[in-house]
Amino acid sequence: MSIQAYAEKATCERLLSVHRWTDKLLSFRTTRPAGYRFTAGQFARLGLEINGEIVSRAYSITSAEDADVLEYYAIIVPGGQFTTRLDAMQPGDPVWVEKLSYGFMTADRFTDGRQLWMLATGTGLGPYVSILQQPEVWRRFDDLVVVHGVRQREELTYVEQFEALRRQAGEQGLPARLHTLRCVTREAALPPGEGLLAGRITTLLRDGQLEQAAGLPMSPEHSRVMACGNPEMVTELRELLRERGMTPLRRAGGGQFVTEDYW
């Protein structure tokens, strides 16, 4: 899309900083457009100028709803047009942010339930970083369960941030308990005492290890589930949840889970 056409639906912001978790994983921050609004769990569409045209991609927002800046979580795709350019950018470079936010995977869509399970593979973790920065989520549920599945331990990110949110919630008297479960699929021998599970999220859910590690059963009565990440995982998880008597959220109300494909 031409820059002129894209400027009608986006504002030109600036890259503020980049945090590199690994050589392929990074979080980056941009200035926030005046009046920009989103609900925790939603994603933004960003544009970069490449060869005189705007190339746009969707990225989940990891910052809090009231933050002064916007943060996103990304994986560098080898040969990818957008992320190759992103990987080379420096603070001060322009990043276009579309004026609207998108997506329906938000915690406020659940009208009941006592537990919020947030399952993710890879960068699908992003929405939950934002959701857990909202105090009302800690008041709304008794238990908050984050499950992050990756291939290798080095890809486990935002660990310190989740611990900081746990401490902050305690200091503020917010009642929910935060459980963080981390799963790896490409490391057969895991060191004892590191709290890691070996296997895919869906396998661990099927054989009961996930619930055992959380110390909580997943049930239609009390559990509400979000899943974001690899489309294969999301598809399989939908079937597992249906087998447990759960149904997807509906606009008219009702349902126990919501999913979003995200690479």
Side-chain angles (χ1 to χ4, degrees), residues 21-85:
W21 303 97
T22 70
D23 59 344
K24 294 182 179 179
L25 293 171
L26 58 83
S27 297
F28 61 101
R29 293 181 174 182
T30 69
T31 53
R32 181 169 181 161
Y36 185 83
R37 298 179 64 184
F38 72 97
T39 300
Q42 289 189 309
F43 60 89
R45 290 198 65 88
L46 308 179
L48 298 180
E49 182 182 348
I50 301 174
N51 297 326
E53 298 285 327
I54 294 293
V55 176
S56 65
R57 296 289 186 271
Y59 286 96
S60 290
I61 305 168
T62 64
S63 43
E65 292 177 4
D66 60 355
D68 294 332
V69 302
L70 296 176
E71 181 179 284
Y72 317 88
Y73 183 30
I75 184 170
I76 303 302
V77 179
Q81 186 180 28
F82 188 97
T83 57
T84 297
R85 175 72 182 97

Short mmCIF file of all heavy atoms in Angstrom, two decimals, residues 21-85:
data_model
loop_
_atom_site.label_atom_id
_atom_site.label_comp_id
_atom_site.label_asym_id
_atom_site.label_seq_id
_atom_site.Cartn_x
_atom_site.Cartn_y
_atom_site.Cartn_z
N TRP A 21 15.39 -11.05 23.31
CA TRP A 21 15.37 -12.22 24.19
C TRP A 21 16.34 -13.28 23.66
O TRP A 21 17.06 -13.90 24.43
CB TRP A 21 13.96 -12.80 24.26
CG TRP A 21 12.90 -11.87 24.72
CD1 TRP A 21 12.04 -11.14 23.93
CD2 TRP A 21 12.56 -11.54 26.08
NE1 TRP A 21 11.19 -10.39 24.71
CE2 TRP A 21 11.48 -10.63 26.03
CE3 TRP A 21 13.06 -11.95 27.31
CZ2 TRP A 21 10.90 -10.11 27.19
CZ3 TRP A 21 12.48 -11.43 28.47
CH2 TRP A 21 11.42 -10.53 28.40
N THR A 22 16.29 -13.51 22.35
CA THR A 22 17.20 -14.42 21.66
C THR A 22 17.52 -13.79 20.31
O THR A 22 17.08 -12.67 20.03
CB THR A 22 16.56 -15.81 21.43
OG1 THR A 22 15.52 -15.70 20.44
CG2 THR A 22 15.96 -16.38 22.72
N ASP A 23 18.23 -14.51 19.45
CA ASP A 23 18.52 -13.95 18.14
C ASP A 23 17.28 -13.90 17.25
O ASP A 23 17.30 -13.24 16.21
CB ASP A 23 19.63 -14.74 17.45
CG ASP A 23 19.28 -16.22 17.27
OD1 ASP A 23 18.33 -16.70 17.94
OD2 ASP A 23 19.95 -16.89 16.47
N LYS A 24 16.19 -14.58 17.67
CA LYS A 24 14.97 -14.60 16.87
C LYS A 24 13.76 -13.97 17.57
O LYS A 24 12.75 -13.71 16.92
CB LYS A 24 14.62 -16.04 16.48
CG LYS A 24 15.62 -16.69 15.53
CD LYS A 24 15.17 -18.09 15.16
CE LYS A 24 16.17 -18.74 14.19
NZ LYS A 24 15.76 -20.13 13.84
N LEU A 25 13.86 -13.75 18.86
CA LEU A 25 12.73 -13.21 19.62
C LEU A 25 13.06 -11.83 20.16
O LEU A 25 14.12 -11.62 20.74
CB LEU A 25 12.38 -14.14 20.79
CG LEU A 25 11.82 -15.52 20.45
CD1 LEU A 25 11.74 -16.38 21.69
CD2 LEU A 25 10.46 -15.40 19.78
N LEU A 26 12.14 -10.90 19.99
CA LEU A 26 12.35 -9.56 20.52
C LEU A 26 11.03 -8.92 20.92
O LEU A 26 9.97 -9.26 20.42
CB LEU A 26 13.11 -8.69 19.52
CG LEU A 26 12.52 -8.47 18.12
CD1 LEU A 26 11.48 -7.36 18.13
CD2 LEU A 26 13.63 -8.13 17.14
N SER A 27 11.14 -8.00 21.87
CA SER A 27 10.04 -7.11 22.22
C SER A 27 10.48 -5.71 21.81
O SER A 27 11.65 -5.36 21.93
CB SER A 27 9.74 -7.15 23.72
OG SER A 27 9.32 -8.43 24.12
N PHE A 28 9.53 -4.92 21.32
CA PHE A 28 9.89 -3.56 20.94
C PHE A 28 8.79 -2.60 21.34
O PHE A 28 7.62 -2.98 21.45
CB PHE A 28 10.19 -3.47 19.44
CG PHE A 28 9.03 -3.82 18.54
CD1 PHE A 28 8.27 -2.83 17.93
CD2 PHE A 28 8.72 -5.15 18.26
CE1 PHE A 28 7.22 -3.14 17.08
CE2 PHE A 28 7.68 -5.48 17.42
CZ PHE A 28 6.92 -4.48 16.82
N ARG A 29 9.18 -1.37 21.58
CA ARG A 29 8.26 -0.34 22.03
C ARG A 29 8.22 0.82 21.04
O ARG A 29 9.24 1.19 20.47
CB ARG A 29 8.65 0.18 23.42
CG ARG A 29 8.51 -0.86 24.52
CD ARG A 29 8.89 -0.30 25.87
NE ARG A 29 8.61 -1.25 26.95
CZ ARG A 29 8.81 -1.01 28.22
NH1 ARG A 29 9.31 0.16 28.62
NH2 ARG A 29 8.51 -1.93 29.13
N THR A 30 7.01 1.38 20.92
CA THR A 30 6.83 2.56 20.08
C THR A 30 6.12 3.64 20.89
O THR A 30 5.52 3.36 21.93
CB THR A 30 5.98 2.26 18.83
OG1 THR A 30 4.62 2.00 19.23
CG2 THR A 30 6.53 1.06 18.06
N THR A 31 6.18 4.85 20.40
CA THR A 31 5.34 5.89 20.97
C THR A 31 3.88 5.51 20.76
O THR A 31 3.54 4.72 19.87
CB THR A 31 5.63 7.24 20.31
OG1 THR A 31 5.53 7.12 18.87
CG2 THR A 31 7.03 7.73 20.65
N ARG A 32 3.03 6.08 21.59
CA ARG A 32 1.59 5.75 21.53
C ARG A 32 0.84 6.90 20.87
O ARG A 32 0.98 8.06 21.29
CB ARG A 32 1.05 5.50 22.93
CG ARG A 32 -0.43 5.13 22.97
CD ARG A 32 -0.84 4.65 24.35
NE ARG A 32 -2.24 4.27 24.37
CZ ARG A 32 -2.80 3.49 25.29
NH1 ARG A 32 -2.04 3.01 26.28
NH2 ARG A 32 -4.08 3.19 25.24
N PRO A 33 0.03 6.60 19.86
CA PRO A 33 -0.72 7.67 19.21
C PRO A 33 -1.67 8.36 20.19
O PRO A 33 -2.24 7.72 21.08
CB PRO A 33 -1.51 6.95 18.11
CG PRO A 33 -0.78 5.67 17.89
CD PRO A 33 -0.19 5.29 19.22
N ALA A 34 -1.86 9.64 20.03
CA ALA A 34 -2.80 10.38 20.87
C ALA A 34 -4.20 9.80 20.71
O ALA A 34 -4.67 9.59 19.59
CB ALA A 34 -2.79 11.86 20.49
N GLY A 35 -4.84 9.50 21.83
CA GLY A 35 -6.20 8.98 21.78
C GLY A 35 -6.32 7.51 21.45
O GLY A 35 -7.44 6.99 21.33
N TYR A 36 -5.19 6.82 21.32
CA TYR A 36 -5.25 5.39 20.94
C TYR A 36 -5.82 4.58 22.10
O TYR A 36 -5.40 4.71 23.25
CB TYR A 36 -3.86 4.89 20.60
CG TYR A 36 -3.83 3.46 20.10
CD1 TYR A 36 -4.09 3.18 18.76
CD2 TYR A 36 -3.55 2.39 20.95
CE1 TYR A 36 -4.06 1.88 18.28
CE2 TYR A 36 -3.51 1.09 20.49
CZ TYR A 36 -3.78 0.83 19.15
OH TYR A 36 -3.76 -0.45 18.69
N ARG A 37 -6.79 3.69 21.79
CA ARG A 37 -7.42 2.87 22.82
C ARG A 37 -7.40 1.41 22.41
O ARG A 37 -7.51 1.08 21.23
CB ARG A 37 -8.86 3.33 23.05
CG ARG A 37 -8.99 4.76 23.54
CD ARG A 37 -10.44 5.16 23.72
NE ARG A 37 -11.09 4.37 24.77
CZ ARG A 37 -12.39 4.47 25.08
NH1 ARG A 37 -13.16 5.33 24.41
NH2 ARG A 37 -12.90 3.72 26.04
N PHE A 38 -7.23 0.53 23.39
CA PHE A 38 -7.33 -0.90 23.14
C PHE A 38 -7.72 -1.59 24.43
O PHE A 38 -7.61 -1.03 25.53
CB PHE A 38 -6.00 -1.46 22.62
CG PHE A 38 -4.91 -1.54 23.65
CD1 PHE A 38 -4.66 -2.74 24.33
CD2 PHE A 38 -4.13 -0.43 23.97
CE1 PHE A 38 -3.66 -2.82 25.30
CE2 PHE A 38 -3.12 -0.50 24.93
CZ PHE A 38 -2.89 -1.70 25.60
N THR A 39 -8.20 -2.81 24.31
CA THR A 39 -8.52 -3.64 25.47
C THR A 39 -7.45 -4.71 25.57
O THR A 39 -7.06 -5.30 24.56
CB THR A 39 -9.90 -4.30 25.31
OG1 THR A 39 -10.90 -3.27 25.19
CG2 THR A 39 -10.23 -5.17 26.51
N ALA A 40 -6.96 -4.95 26.79
CA ALA A 40 -5.91 -5.95 26.99
C ALA A 40 -6.30 -7.27 26.35
O ALA A 40 -7.40 -7.79 26.59
CB ALA A 40 -5.65 -6.14 28.48
N GLY A 41 -5.40 -7.80 25.52
CA GLY A 41 -5.67 -9.02 24.77
C GLY A 41 -5.84 -8.76 23.28
O GLY A 41 -5.77 -9.69 22.48
N GLN A 42 -6.04 -7.51 22.92
CA GLN A 42 -6.19 -7.16 21.51
C GLN A 42 -4.83 -6.99 20.82
O GLN A 42 -3.79 -6.97 21.48
CB GLN A 42 -7.01 -5.89 21.35
CG GLN A 42 -8.48 -6.07 21.69
CD GLN A 42 -9.30 -4.84 21.32
OE1 GLN A 42 -8.97 -3.72 21.68
NE2 GLN A 42 -10.39 -5.07 20.60
N PHE A 43 -4.87 -6.88 19.49
CA PHE A 43 -3.64 -6.68 18.74
C PHE A 43 -3.73 -5.42 17.88
O PHE A 43 -4.82 -4.90 17.61
CB PHE A 43 -3.31 -7.90 17.87
CG PHE A 43 -4.36 -8.26 16.84
CD1 PHE A 43 -4.31 -7.71 15.56
CD2 PHE A 43 -5.37 -9.17 17.13
CE1 PHE A 43 -5.26 -8.05 14.61
CE2 PHE A 43 -6.31 -9.53 16.19
CZ PHE A 43 -6.26 -8.96 14.92
N ALA A 44 -2.56 -4.95 17.49
CA ALA A 44 -2.46 -3.77 16.63
C ALA A 44 -1.94 -4.20 15.27
O ALA A 44 -1.29 -5.23 15.12
CB ALA A 44 -1.50 -2.75 17.25
N ARG A 45 -2.23 -3.40 14.28
CA ARG A 45 -1.61 -3.58 12.97
C ARG A 45 -0.58 -2.48 12.77
O ARG A 45 -0.88 -1.28 12.92
CB ARG A 45 -2.65 -3.56 11.85
CG ARG A 45 -3.55 -4.79 11.86
CD ARG A 45 -4.26 -4.98 10.53
NE ARG A 45 -3.32 -5.28 9.45
CZ ARG A 45 -2.91 -6.50 9.13
NH1 ARG A 45 -3.34 -7.54 9.81
NH2 ARG A 45 -2.06 -6.68 8.14
N LEU A 46 0.64 -2.90 12.47
CA LEU A 46 1.76 -1.97 12.33
C LEU A 46 2.24 -1.98 10.89
O LEU A 46 2.17 -3.01 10.20
CB LEU A 46 2.91 -2.39 13.24
CG LEU A 46 2.57 -2.61 14.71
CD1 LEU A 46 3.82 -3.03 15.47
CD2 LEU A 46 1.96 -1.36 15.32
N GLY A 47 2.75 -0.85 10.45
CA GLY A 47 3.26 -0.74 9.09
C GLY A 47 4.69 -0.22 9.07
O GLY A 47 5.05 0.65 9.86
N LEU A 48 5.50 -0.78 8.17
CA LEU A 48 6.85 -0.30 7.94
C LEU A 48 7.01 0.07 6.48
O LEU A 48 6.47 -0.62 5.60
CB LEU A 48 7.88 -1.38 8.31
CG LEU A 48 7.93 -1.84 9.76
CD1 LEU A 48 9.00 -2.91 9.92
CD2 LEU A 48 8.20 -0.68 10.71
N GLU A 49 7.77 1.12 6.24
CA GLU A 49 8.04 1.51 4.85
C GLU A 49 9.16 0.63 4.30
O GLU A 49 10.26 0.57 4.84
CB GLU A 49 8.45 2.97 4.77
CG GLU A 49 8.70 3.44 3.35
CD GLU A 49 9.15 4.88 3.27
OE1 GLU A 49 9.05 5.59 4.29
OE2 GLU A 49 9.62 5.29 2.18
N ILE A 50 8.85 -0.08 3.23
CA ILE A 50 9.81 -0.97 2.59
C ILE A 50 9.75 -0.72 1.08
O ILE A 50 8.71 -0.92 0.46
CB ILE A 50 9.52 -2.45 2.90
CG1 ILE A 50 9.56 -2.69 4.42
CG2 ILE A 50 10.51 -3.37 2.19
CD1 ILE A 50 9.14 -4.08 4.83
N ASN A 51 10.84 -0.24 0.53
CA ASN A 51 10.92 0.05 -0.91
C ASN A 51 9.81 0.99 -1.37
O ASN A 51 9.19 0.79 -2.42
CB ASN A 51 10.86 -1.26 -1.71
CG ASN A 51 12.03 -2.17 -1.43
OD1 ASN A 51 13.14 -1.71 -1.19
ND2 ASN A 51 11.78 -3.47 -1.45
N GLY A 52 9.55 2.00 -0.55
CA GLY A 52 8.59 3.03 -0.94
C GLY A 52 7.14 2.68 -0.72
O GLY A 52 6.26 3.50 -1.00
N GLU A 53 6.86 1.49 -0.21
CA GLU A 53 5.50 1.07 0.07
C GLU A 53 5.38 0.69 1.55
O GLU A 53 6.37 0.43 2.21
CB GLU A 53 5.10 -0.13 -0.79
CG GLU A 53 5.12 0.14 -2.29
CD GLU A 53 3.92 0.98 -2.72
OE1 GLU A 53 2.85 0.82 -2.10
OE2 GLU A 53 4.06 1.80 -3.66
N ILE A 54 4.15 0.64 2.07
CA ILE A 54 3.91 0.21 3.44
C ILE A 54 3.55 -1.27 3.46
O ILE A 54 2.63 -1.72 2.77
CB ILE A 54 2.77 1.02 4.10
CG1 ILE A 54 3.18 2.48 4.25
CG2 ILE A 54 2.42 0.42 5.46
CD1 ILE A 54 4.32 2.71 5.23
N VAL A 55 4.29 -2.02 4.24
CA VAL A 55 3.98 -3.43 4.49
C VAL A 55 3.48 -3.52 5.93
O VAL A 55 4.14 -3.01 6.86
CB VAL A 55 5.23 -4.32 4.31
CG1 VAL A 55 4.90 -5.77 4.67
CG2 VAL A 55 5.74 -4.22 2.88
N SER A 56 2.32 -4.14 6.16
CA SER A 56 1.74 -4.17 7.50
C SER A 56 1.59 -5.60 8.02
O SER A 56 1.42 -6.54 7.24
CB SER A 56 0.37 -3.46 7.52
OG SER A 56 -0.57 -4.16 6.72
N ARG A 57 1.67 -5.73 9.33
CA ARG A 57 1.50 -7.01 10.01
C ARG A 57 0.80 -6.77 11.34
O ARG A 57 0.83 -5.67 11.89
CB ARG A 57 2.85 -7.69 10.28
CG ARG A 57 3.63 -8.08 9.04
CD ARG A 57 3.01 -9.24 8.29
NE ARG A 57 3.86 -9.69 7.18
CZ ARG A 57 3.81 -9.21 5.94
NH1 ARG A 57 2.93 -8.23 5.66
NH2 ARG A 57 4.60 -9.67 5.00
N ALA A 58 0.19 -7.82 11.89
CA ALA A 58 -0.51 -7.74 13.17
C ALA A 58 0.40 -8.20 14.29
O ALA A 58 1.08 -9.23 14.16
CB ALA A 58 -1.77 -8.59 13.13
N TYR A 59 0.39 -7.47 15.40
CA TYR A 59 1.16 -7.85 16.58
C TYR A 59 0.35 -7.60 17.84
O TYR A 59 -0.26 -6.54 18.01
CB TYR A 59 2.47 -7.04 16.66
CG TYR A 59 3.49 -7.51 15.66
CD1 TYR A 59 3.62 -6.86 14.44
CD2 TYR A 59 4.28 -8.62 15.90
CE1 TYR A 59 4.53 -7.31 13.49
CE2 TYR A 59 5.19 -9.08 14.97
CZ TYR A 59 5.31 -8.41 13.77
OH TYR A 59 6.21 -8.87 12.83
N SER A 60 0.33 -8.60 18.74
CA SER A 60 -0.36 -8.43 20.01
C SER A 60 0.33 -7.35 20.83
O SER A 60 1.55 -7.24 20.84
CB SER A 60 -0.38 -9.74 20.78
OG SER A 60 -1.23 -10.68 20.16
N ILE A 61 -0.46 -6.60 21.55
CA ILE A 61 0.05 -5.54 22.41
C ILE A 61 0.33 -6.13 23.79
O ILE A 61 -0.55 -6.75 24.39
CB ILE A 61 -0.96 -4.38 22.53
CG1 ILE A 61 -1.34 -3.86 21.14
CG2 ILE A 61 -0.40 -3.26 23.40
CD1 ILE A 61 -2.54 -2.93 21.14
N THR A 62 1.54 -5.97 24.30
CA THR A 62 1.89 -6.53 25.60
C THR A 62 1.86 -5.49 26.71
O THR A 62 2.01 -5.85 27.88
CB THR A 62 3.28 -7.19 25.57
OG1 THR A 62 4.26 -6.19 25.30
CG2 THR A 62 3.36 -8.27 24.50
N SER A 63 1.67 -4.25 26.38
CA SER A 63 1.67 -3.20 27.41
C SER A 63 0.29 -3.10 28.06
O SER A 63 -0.71 -3.60 27.55
CB SER A 63 2.09 -1.86 26.81
OG SER A 63 1.46 -1.65 25.56
N ALA A 64 0.24 -2.43 29.21
CA ALA A 64 -1.02 -2.21 29.91
C ALA A 64 -1.89 -1.22 29.14
O ALA A 64 -1.39 -0.41 28.35
CB ALA A 64 -0.75 -1.69 31.32
N GLU A 65 -3.18 -1.29 29.39
CA GLU A 65 -4.12 -0.42 28.68
C GLU A 65 -3.81 1.05 28.88
O GLU A 65 -4.02 1.87 27.97
CB GLU A 65 -5.55 -0.71 29.13
CG GLU A 65 -6.09 -2.07 28.71
CD GLU A 65 -7.47 -2.34 29.25
OE1 GLU A 65 -8.04 -1.43 29.90
OE2 GLU A 65 -7.99 -3.45 29.05
N ASP A 66 -3.31 1.41 30.05
CA ASP A 66 -3.06 2.82 30.35
C ASP A 66 -1.59 3.22 30.22
O ASP A 66 -1.20 4.30 30.66
CB ASP A 66 -3.57 3.16 31.75
CG ASP A 66 -2.88 2.33 32.84
OD1 ASP A 66 -2.09 1.43 32.49
OD2 ASP A 66 -3.15 2.58 34.03
N ALA A 67 -0.76 2.37 29.62
CA ALA A 67 0.66 2.68 29.49
C ALA A 67 0.89 3.86 28.54
O ALA A 67 0.12 4.07 27.59
CB ALA A 67 1.42 1.46 29.00
N ASP A 68 1.96 4.58 28.77
CA ASP A 68 2.27 5.73 27.93
C ASP A 68 2.84 5.32 26.58
O ASP A 68 2.83 6.11 25.63
CB ASP A 68 3.28 6.64 28.64
CG ASP A 68 2.69 7.29 29.88
OD1 ASP A 68 1.46 7.48 29.94
OD2 ASP A 68 3.47 7.60 30.81
N VAL A 69 3.39 4.10 26.51
CA VAL A 69 3.97 3.60 25.26
C VAL A 69 3.30 2.28 24.90
O VAL A 69 2.59 1.68 25.71
CB VAL A 69 5.50 3.41 25.39
CG1 VAL A 69 6.17 4.72 25.77
CG2 VAL A 69 5.83 2.31 26.39
N LEU A 70 3.54 1.82 23.68
CA LEU A 70 3.00 0.53 23.23
C LEU A 70 4.15 -0.46 23.06
O LEU A 70 5.18 -0.12 22.47
CB LEU A 70 2.26 0.69 21.91
CG LEU A 70 1.01 1.58 21.95
CD1 LEU A 70 0.43 1.73 20.55
CD2 LEU A 70 -0.04 1.01 22.90
N GLU A 71 3.96 -1.67 23.59
CA GLU A 71 4.98 -2.71 23.46
C GLU A 71 4.39 -3.91 22.74
O GLU A 71 3.22 -4.25 22.91
CB GLU A 71 5.48 -3.15 24.84
CG GLU A 71 6.58 -4.22 24.76
CD GLU A 71 7.10 -4.64 26.13
OE1 GLU A 71 7.87 -3.85 26.71
OE2 GLU A 71 6.73 -5.72 26.58
N TYR A 72 5.23 -4.58 21.94
CA TYR A 72 4.81 -5.73 21.15
C TYR A 72 5.87 -6.83 21.27
O TYR A 72 7.03 -6.57 21.59
CB TYR A 72 4.66 -5.35 19.67
CG TYR A 72 3.98 -4.03 19.43
CD1 TYR A 72 4.72 -2.84 19.38
CD2 TYR A 72 2.61 -3.95 19.25
CE1 TYR A 72 4.10 -1.62 19.17
CE2 TYR A 72 1.98 -2.72 19.04
CZ TYR A 72 2.74 -1.57 19.00
OH TYR A 72 2.13 -0.36 18.78
N TYR A 73 5.45 -8.06 20.97
CA TYR A 73 6.33 -9.22 21.08
C TYR A 73 6.38 -9.88 19.71
O TYR A 73 5.32 -10.17 19.12
CB TYR A 73 5.76 -10.17 22.13
CG TYR A 73 6.57 -11.39 22.45
CD1 TYR A 73 7.96 -11.41 22.36
CD2 TYR A 73 5.93 -12.55 22.89
CE1 TYR A 73 8.69 -12.55 22.67
CE2 TYR A 73 6.65 -13.69 23.22
CZ TYR A 73 8.02 -13.69 23.11
OH TYR A 73 8.73 -14.81 23.42
N ALA A 74 7.58 -10.13 19.19
CA ALA A 74 7.70 -10.59 17.80
C ALA A 74 8.75 -11.67 17.65
O ALA A 74 9.72 -11.74 18.41
CB ALA A 74 8.05 -9.40 16.89
N ILE A 75 8.57 -12.50 16.63
CA ILE A 75 9.57 -13.46 16.22
C ILE A 75 10.09 -13.06 14.85
O ILE A 75 9.32 -12.64 13.98
CB ILE A 75 8.99 -14.90 16.19
CG1 ILE A 75 10.10 -15.91 15.86
CG2 ILE A 75 7.83 -15.02 15.21
CD1 ILE A 75 9.68 -17.35 16.05
N ILE A 76 11.40 -13.14 14.68
CA ILE A 76 12.01 -12.80 13.40
C ILE A 76 11.89 -14.01 12.47
O ILE A 76 12.42 -15.08 12.75
CB ILE A 76 13.49 -12.41 13.57
CG1 ILE A 76 13.60 -11.23 14.54
CG2 ILE A 76 14.10 -12.06 12.22
CD1 ILE A 76 12.85 -10.00 14.15
N VAL A 77 11.17 -13.83 11.40
CA VAL A 77 10.97 -14.90 10.42
C VAL A 77 12.10 -14.83 9.39
O VAL A 77 12.28 -13.80 8.73
CB VAL A 77 9.61 -14.74 9.71
CG1 VAL A 77 9.41 -15.86 8.67
CG2 VAL A 77 8.48 -14.74 10.72
N PRO A 78 12.90 -15.88 9.25
CA PRO A 78 13.99 -15.84 8.27
C PRO A 78 13.48 -15.51 6.87
O PRO A 78 12.57 -16.17 6.37
CB PRO A 78 14.55 -17.27 8.32
CG PRO A 78 14.18 -17.77 9.69
CD PRO A 78 12.85 -17.15 9.99
N GLY A 79 14.01 -14.44 6.28
CA GLY A 79 13.58 -14.03 4.95
C GLY A 79 12.27 -13.28 4.92
O GLY A 79 11.80 -12.88 3.85
N GLY A 80 11.65 -13.08 6.09
CA GLY A 80 10.38 -12.37 6.14
C GLY A 80 10.55 -10.90 5.82
O GLY A 80 11.43 -10.24 6.37
N GLN A 81 9.72 -10.39 4.96
CA GLN A 81 9.87 -9.01 4.50
C GLN A 81 9.75 -8.02 5.66
O GLN A 81 10.58 -7.13 5.83
CB GLN A 81 8.82 -8.70 3.43
CG GLN A 81 8.97 -7.35 2.78
CD GLN A 81 7.90 -7.09 1.73
OE1 GLN A 81 6.79 -7.63 1.81
NE2 GLN A 81 8.22 -6.29 0.72
N PHE A 82 8.72 -8.18 6.48
CA PHE A 82 8.48 -7.24 7.57
C PHE A 82 9.51 -7.38 8.68
O PHE A 82 10.13 -6.41 9.10
CB PHE A 82 7.07 -7.45 8.13
CG PHE A 82 6.63 -6.41 9.12
CD1 PHE A 82 5.85 -5.34 8.72
CD2 PHE A 82 6.99 -6.48 10.46
CE1 PHE A 82 5.42 -4.37 9.63
CE2 PHE A 82 6.60 -5.54 11.37
CZ PHE A 82 5.80 -4.47 10.96
N THR A 83 9.72 -8.62 9.17
CA THR A 83 10.59 -8.78 10.32
C THR A 83 12.07 -8.60 9.99
O THR A 83 12.86 -8.23 10.86
CB THR A 83 10.37 -10.15 10.99
OG1 THR A 83 10.58 -11.20 10.04
CG2 THR A 83 8.97 -10.26 11.56
N THR A 84 12.46 -8.82 8.75
CA THR A 84 13.84 -8.53 8.37
C THR A 84 14.11 -7.04 8.50
O THR A 84 15.15 -6.61 9.00
CB THR A 84 14.11 -8.99 6.93
OG1 THR A 84 13.95 -10.42 6.86
CG2 THR A 84 15.51 -8.62 6.49
N ARG A 85 13.14 -6.23 8.07
CA ARG A 85 13.27 -4.78 8.22
C ARG A 85 13.21 -4.38 9.70
O ARG A 85 14.01 -3.56 10.17
CB ARG A 85 12.13 -4.09 7.45
CG ARG A 85 12.07 -2.57 7.64
CD ARG A 85 13.20 -1.87 6.91
NE ARG A 85 13.18 -0.43 7.13
CZ ARG A 85 13.90 0.20 8.04
NH1 ARG A 85 14.73 -0.49 8.83
NH2 ARG A 85 13.83 1.51 8.19
#
